[in-house]
Amino acid sequence: MDPFARKMVYGSFVYGGMMLVMFAVLTVVYLHTRPRCSDRVVVESADQTGQWTATVMERRCGTEAPFFTHLNLRPAGKDLNRGFFSGSATEGEIFVLEQDSASAGITLHWTSSAALSIACPHCSPTLVRKHDERWGRVVIEYKLSQR
């Protein structure tokens, strides 16, 4: 093969490789900036001593999918840790409800620096997917609807 043809073939492979790398990088950036299921913060509440923060969030993964309301606990001053591609904050998740936050009516009340009371007067117990009674040192009390 003559040297000019060899340069053309080599250049074609380099160009094709660069296009694949560019496609991969742009795909990663797109999936990170536009997650399919991102969380929307509804309300945050800090305890009296400023050690813990409770955050109520709402998630919906598509127009036909149900709403999920979830509550996460984390040390105060620490940002929510969202998944790189998912956009969902699952670290410190203590309560998950398959219902939108507006109709559930969730309220948070810190009874002490290590005790959180969660009231949900319009939550159906059959729609509760997760409810931890303890997270680290924090004790969680639930006041759910009895319907």
Side-chain angles (χ1 to χ4, degrees):
M1 179 181 286
D2 72 79
F4 179 73
R6 189 180 330 231
K7 279 186 175 180
M8 292 299 292
V9 169
Y10 178 73
S12 297
F13 282 122
V14 169
Y15 179 76
M18 293 302 292
M19 292 300 287
L20 285 174
V21 168
M22 188 171 66
F23 175 75
V25 167
L26 290 175
T27 300
V28 167
V29 168
Y30 177 80
L31 292 175
H32 174 66
T33 58
R34 297 187 51 105
R36 185 171 173 265
C37 302
S38 61
D39 291 330
R40 180 180 69 87
V41 174
V42 177
V43 68
E44 284 191 337
S45 175
D47 71 332
Q48 297 92 332
T49 61
Q51 289 182 317
W52 308 106
T53 301
T55 306
V56 176
M57 291 176 278
E58 190 174 75
R59 174 186 314 140
R60 188 172 189 193
C61 299
T63 56
E64 298 298 318
F67 282 98
F68 282 91
T69 301
H70 60 106
L71 192 139
N72 293 50
L73 284 176
R74 67 183 188 281
K78 184 178 176 189
D79 291 334
L80 279 170
N81 188 14
R82 298 176 191 257
F84 188 79
F85 290 120
S86 68
S88 299
T90 56
E91 185 178 323
E93 189 173 73
I94 60 165
F95 180 69
V96 179
L97 173 71
E98 189 177 330
Q99 187 176 347
D100 64 298
S101 62
S103 68
I106 296 175
T107 57
L108 308 174
H109 177 68
W110 289 93
T111 55
S112 73
S113 63
L116 175 65
S117 176
I118 301 169
C120 190
H122 306 293
C123 294
S124 173
T126 59
L127 297 177
V128 174
R129 302 293 177 238
K130 180 180 183 179
H131 66 287
D132 294 346
E133 302 291 329
R134 178 177 287 283
W135 185 82
R137 296 181 324 135
V138 179
V139 177
I140 301 121
E141 175 192 7
Y142 296 93
K143 297 175 185 171
L144 303 176
S145 168
Q146 299 302 316
R147 39 176 176 151

